Amino acid sequence: MNCPREKGCSLVNDVEHSFEQRVPPQVFMVNDGLATEAQVVDALAAHRDARQLVRLVQCPSCSHPLKSPVTLPCSHTVCRGCLPEPQPRTNISYPNTPDRLMGIVCPLIGCGAEHAAAECSVDVTLTKLMELVAQEIAQHRPSSKHSSILLQEILRRDSAEEVNNEKEKDHSSEQGSQEVLHGGRLVSTYDMAEMGKLRYSSEVEYSTTSADDDHEHMDVELVERLREVTYQELDCLVCYNMMLEPTTTTCGHTFCRRCLARVMDHSNICPFCRRDLHISASLRTKQCSNAILNSLLNGLCPDLVASRAEAVKAEEQAGNDVMSTPLFICTLAMPAMPTFLHVFEPRYRLMMRRVLEGNRQFGMVMYNRTTSSQGSLGSVPFLKYGTMLEIVNYELLRDGRSFVETRGIGRFKVRAHGMLDGYNVASVERVEDVSLAEEAALEQRETTMARDLAESHFREDPQTQLPTDIAVESLSTQQLLDTCTAFVREMREASAPWLRDRIIQVYGEPPEDPALFPYWFASVVPVLEEEKYVLLRTTHVRERLKVVYSWIGRIRGQRWASGSACNIL
């Protein structure tokens, strides 16, 4: 709040600190290793927050308005002339190019991070914005010198100690430069910084010399122009909207953080200049936002930033909160078994990045090659039963591709589906086996009926073979498992190609659990995936073992070559 003016005074006592308690000054003190982003809720006020606004465009190293600014990978921004000379980087030989073998150390106290010289390019967007800010300041300087204002620099304690060479300080020693300048607070504060008489960390006290000067009106008018310039200049060159979390690449171009991450999912070049970028495709933790641009946007137009954030959030939702399961349409995966993926399509790169940022789980479904109807889903491009996979290991390649090791953690049925940024998402229902009581009842019912039919059959015609279906159902669940495991041992002894040591190393030894054995067998045996798919929708352990038993019968019926089963069924 401004002090009331006393009319008729030759010197109006209009002295104020420019930093209000609403925003602590430390949030801007990047030279001390503190936070660098403006943590504001409301837009910075033109008159009251003049010092904060000017600090946003000051170099934290030389305290002048930024000139040819360089945004470093550590997120600090300084003038290019403030950077130290490049020095050879020790114990670094890759990539073996001169600009990456030389390093530049961040000059800010409390940081000292070393960056490859190739990563220290001039920030193109901020350079253009600084030129426009300087133009607006020049246009708003008063033509006459009647509108004057006294600026008194108030040093921070550490700055005052530096000035006094560690001599004992009193209140007056904490005062720095003093200037009488013309215009509103914004123009005069900027001019004082441009003169090199306002340290980055210092505060300012303002005193007006005339009761008729409307400095506040000047500041409001200038801030409106700066807000307009900032809004127009900070458009992302990928989405053509106002930048959200502006992130600057090593080549000096700036984009929305999410837009750049999406580009990195399928490319390793800058979307603007096509220069190779050596940054993480995920951009989850390694790439910092451009703190200066982020602060300017939040300080000048926080309402627009909030609206943009809400719009992005809405875009990234599937349109229905229950459609939270990403679907990878590719191959068949089995519960409790490993599945190895090579991810190269842009849409699935994006999906994998989001999965890694979330619970590391996604659904795997098969292609619907015959375009058959999937019940209430209709003729969708995938089969409605799938396996939920969890990422175990993830290897990201330099070109954005990745190798993913997953393990099945359960089955599901797709209830509804939609699209999100090019890939399918779904609402799914978990598929569980029936209870052990139901399983036991099924076995008892089937074996009892089958044995009764077998006895009747042999009484009537003891010379004929028992029908296959009756023979299978007459076996207990454990007998089915024992028959299947015995077949596996037989095939291993016969050196079947689908049971080589490397296969066993990947999928392990045959499980002793009847519920898991069919999934293991389906993972190693060369049977068409459409036939294996039946296992995903079967909720009885016994039924799954019977499916496997039928495959074994077909394998035995094939011709043998070199003592092993043929590889084509």
Side-chain angles (χ1 to χ4, degrees), residues 13 24 28 82 105 121 150 156 256 357 380 410 475 490 518 568:
N13 188 12
F28 296 98
C82 294
V105 176
S121 300
L150 173 66
R156 291 182 63 210
C256 296
E357 294 173 347
V380 292
L475 297 174
E490 178 185 342
I568 301 177

Side-chain angles (χ1 to χ4, degrees), residues 134-201:
Q135 292 175 12
E136 291 299 327
I137 294 290
Q139 292 177 6
H140 282 79
R141 286 193 178 101
S143 57
S144 66
K145 296 186 178 180
H146 296 296
S147 176
S148 59
I149 184 170
L150 173 66
L151 287 80
Q152 175 66 62
E153 181 188 19
I154 305 298
L155 304 179
R156 291 182 63 210
R157 181 172 296 272
D158 52 355
S159 299
E161 289 173 349
E162 293 175 7
V163 170
N164 289 292
N165 197 20
E166 306 209 4
K167 293 180 179 179
E168 184 178 357
K169 307 189 298 21
D170 55 21
H171 177 73
S172 61
S173 68
E174 294 184 2
Q175 294 184 357
S177 302
Q178 179 175 297
E179 293 292 330
V180 176
L181 298 171
H182 306 282
R185 290 187 178 184
L186 270 175
V187 171
S188 58
T189 306
Y190 182 91
D191 288 344
M192 191 173 182
E194 195 170 40
M195 296 164 61
K197 296 185 177 182
L198 178 59
R199 294 169 181 82
Y200 179 84
S201 58

Side-chain angles (χ1 to χ4, degrees), residues 303-427:
D303 51 338
L304 297 177
V305 173
S307 299
R308 176 84 175 101
E310 286 297 322
V312 169
K313 183 179 179 181
E315 290 173 3
E316 293 191 346
Q317 292 178 346
N320 189 333
D321 291 339
V322 299
M323 292 187 187
S324 57
T325 302
L327 295 182
F328 198 117
I329 306 176
C330 184
T331 186
L332 185 71
M334 288 292 167
M337 295 293 115
T339 299
F340 302 89
L341 301 172
H342 172 209
V343 181
F344 55 90
E345 288 190 58
R347 54 176 175 164
Y348 288 132
R349 294 185 191 183
L350 174 62
M351 189 191 84
M352 284 298 166
R353 175 172 64 81
R354 291 173 174 170
V355 168
L356 286 167
E357 294 173 347
N359 62 3
R360 302 176 71 90
Q361 297 177 9
F362 63 97
M364 174 68 77
V365 289
M366 284 180 58
Y367 279 108
N368 185 3
R369 294 185 177 92
T370 62
T371 65
S372 60
S373 176
Q374 299 299 302
S376 60
L377 298 177
S379 182
V380 292
F382 54 84
L383 303 183
K384 67 178 180 179
Y385 287 91
T387 300
M388 192 68 67
L389 301 181
E390 184 172 43
I391 296 177
V392 177
N393 289 307
Y394 179 82
E395 180 183 0
L396 181 64
L397 305 182
R398 292 185 60 202
D399 59 0
R401 295 178 296 119
S402 60
F403 292 113
V404 186
E405 179 187 356
T406 68
R407 191 167 188 86
I409 59 175
R411 297 172 293 160
F412 63 86
K413 178 171 66 174
V414 177
R415 306 293 296 181
H417 73 101
M419 296 295 295
L420 175 61
D421 292 334
Y423 62 86
N424 284 269
V425 290
S427 167

Side-chain angles (χ1 to χ4, degrees), residues 99 117-119 121 250-252 268-270 272-277:
D99 56 356
E119 299 174 339
S121 300
T250 55
C251 55
N268 62 341
I269 60 177
C270 172
F272 184 76
C273 69
R274 318 304 289 176
R275 175 176 165 181
D276 287 343
L277 299 178

